[in-house]
Amino acid sequence: MKINNNQVKLFGETILQIPLKGKSNRLRVRLVHLLNTHLENVINKETNLLFEEYAIRDNDGNKLFHDIEQTQPQIKEEFYLEIDELMSEYLHIEMNENNKDMLLNICNVLLDDKCPIELSGELALFYDQWCEECESVIEFYNKQNESE
């Protein structure tokens, strides 16, 4: 399963809105933990590295300012291209036996017609993408079960 980096936080926040109990809740929390770990250890760290890399410094190496908007247009453009590239990458959640219950659980919840998430605007578009990913996850595990 893959989630676009620019949707990782929203995906986690969205699935936390779904009322779940017991095992379904535990599996959801496991997935949210995985999402948050990626957000902290990859997205946020790499974003901070880019801020450091593109910071304007004095002769002693001290930052002259922290606001990328105040920098030279060429540097600002390069910075935003790097950020866009980072955010267009994906978190890949391996579809293996260890993740099977977690992925199938949240996918079945998201694909359920009774899923109580209110959708509008950008969230509705993202939700559609997440559902397509979930359909692929279910198809993958169904094929795996057929071959066993």
Side-chain angles (χ1 to χ4, degrees):
M1 179 176 203
K2 65 181 185 177
I3 305 293
N4 191 281
N5 277 351
N6 70 0
Q7 298 174 17
V8 167
K9 184 176 180 184
L10 181 61
F11 182 62
E13 291 170 347
T14 301
I15 62 175
L16 281 173
Q17 294 176 26
I18 304 168
L20 297 174
K21 294 181 181 179
K23 183 177 180 180
S24 290
N25 181 52
R26 287 185 293 105
L27 292 170
R28 177 209 16 220
V29 168
R30 193 176 300 165
L31 177 58
V32 168
H33 177 72
L34 195 150
L35 296 170
N36 286 338
T37 299
H38 180 76
L39 183 63
E40 293 168 16
N41 294 335
V42 176
I43 299 171
N44 291 347
K45 273 189 180 176
E46 291 184 16
T47 299
N48 288 335
L49 286 172
L50 288 169
F51 273 113
E52 286 296 317
E53 183 178 335
Y54 285 90
I56 304 297
R57 301 180 184 280
D58 63 18
N59 292 337
D60 295 328
N62 298 317
K63 289 184 198 173
L64 294 175
F65 52 82
H66 298 283
D67 187 359
I68 197 70
E69 293 299 323
Q70 297 176 16
T71 194
Q72 300 166 356
Q74 179 185 356
I75 294 172
K76 184 170 95 173
E77 183 179 335
E78 289 174 15
F79 171 79
Y80 282 119
L81 286 172
E82 291 289 337
I83 291 291
D84 286 346
E85 184 176 332
L86 171 63
M87 297 313 286
S88 69
E89 294 172 0
Y90 289 88
L91 161 61
H92 292 270
I93 303 170
E94 192 172 346
M95 292 190 289
N96 58 26
E97 198 60 34
N98 288 336
N99 292 334
K100 182 178 181 177
D101 285 346
M102 175 185 70
L103 292 175
L104 287 175
N105 174 70
I106 201 63
C107 285
N108 285 323
V109 168
L110 286 174
L111 292 171
D112 187 340
D113 289 338
K114 296 174 188 155
C115 184
I117 299 174
E118 292 187 23
L119 303 170
S120 62
E122 194 173 67
L123 179 59
L125 297 173
F126 291 156
Y127 181 81
D128 184 56
Q129 293 172 13
W130 302 334
C131 286
E132 286 179 16
E133 277 299 310
C134 283
E135 289 166 351
S136 297
V137 166
I138 291 171
E139 183 179 329
F140 171 83
Y141 284 115
N142 284 341
K143 285 182 180 178
Q144 189 179 51
N145 286 341
E146 290 172 7
S147 66
E148 290 178 355

